[in-house]
Amino acid sequence: GGRGGSRNSTCVLDIGAQFGTCVAVLAKRFPQVQVRAMEWRSADMALLRRTAAVNSLGNLQARAMRLTRSLAGCAQERGPCSTVAVEYPFGCEGLAAHRIVLWLSEVNGGLSEILEGAADLFEGRLIDAVGIATVAADVPLARRLLGPSFTFEERVSAAPSSVQGS
């Protein structure tokens, strides 16, 4: 789904990539797609980078980064800190007719911060599709922040709720 669909995406950004299980599979399966992974936990970043190296995933780039609502929120952070809007276009700008898919799997209370930090990109329709794996309580927030720029498809699993807005 998405405004124009995401089947021809050239860049996928995974925010909250943890140790890279999803992005490694994606990078391996679609070597023509540039995959960007952001994670703030250093142990997870080490595993993610090792996975990329061991599997020769040249299309997977990982960055240690904590994303917040605004740069003002970075004052309290000890490591690299930014917002989705500041990081845009995530190193994807050199790609021909780039299409960007944003994948969020942050379910530890960071979702609102990340989405609010990307509000300008959603309003400006600079992101082509958004996928969110979260708890049901975060769905209204996601709907509000993604707003009229995206249509929603909700999928609920037996595990934590899953929502995809695109």
Side-chain angles (χ1 to χ4, degrees):
R3 289 182 293 101
S6 57
R7 296 200 181 270
N8 296 320
S9 298
T10 54
C11 191
V12 173
L13 177 69
D14 185 355
I15 297 175
Q18 296 179 333
F19 48 87
T21 303
C22 294
V23 291
V25 171
L26 179 74
K28 185 89 165 171
R29 173 100 166 84
F30 301 99
Q32 74 282 8
V33 173
Q34 292 301 305
V35 180
R36 309 294 189 246
M38 289 187 167
E39 175 57 51
W40 65 275
R41 294 174 192 92
S42 58
D44 286 344
M45 281 303 300
L47 286 169
L48 201 155
R49 288 182 173 139
R50 179 165 160 63
T51 297
V54 166
N55 292 285
S56 302
L57 301 175
N59 60 328
L60 173 56
Q61 294 179 5
R63 287 190 60 201
M65 179 73 62
R66 183 177 226 16
L67 296 173
T68 64
R69 178 177 295 116
S70 70
L71 289 178
C74 289
Q76 298 119 10
E77 296 297 325
R78 286 182 255 163
C81 178
S82 190
T83 70
V84 173
V86 168
E87 295 300 310
Y88 178 84
F90 321 108
C92 301
E93 62 274 14
L95 305 173
H98 71 270
R99 299 180 54 73
I100 297 175
V101 174
L102 182 65
W103 172 249
L104 298 155
S105 52
E106 183 69 37
V107 294
N108 299 339
L111 183 64
S112 64
E113 294 254 331
I114 293 167
L115 286 174
E116 288 173 7
D120 291 344
L121 299 179
F122 301 142
E123 290 169 14
R125 298 181 178 192
L126 298 174
I127 301 291
D128 294 293
V130 180
I132 303 170
T134 189
V135 294
D138 285 338
V139 173
L141 169 75
R143 285 185 182 278
R144 180 178 59 81
L145 290 172
L146 293 173
S149 300
F150 295 87
T151 56
F152 276 81
E153 177 182 328
E154 221 174 299
R155 296 180 188 166
V156 179
S157 67
S161 295
S162 177
V163 173
Q164 291 190 351
S166 52

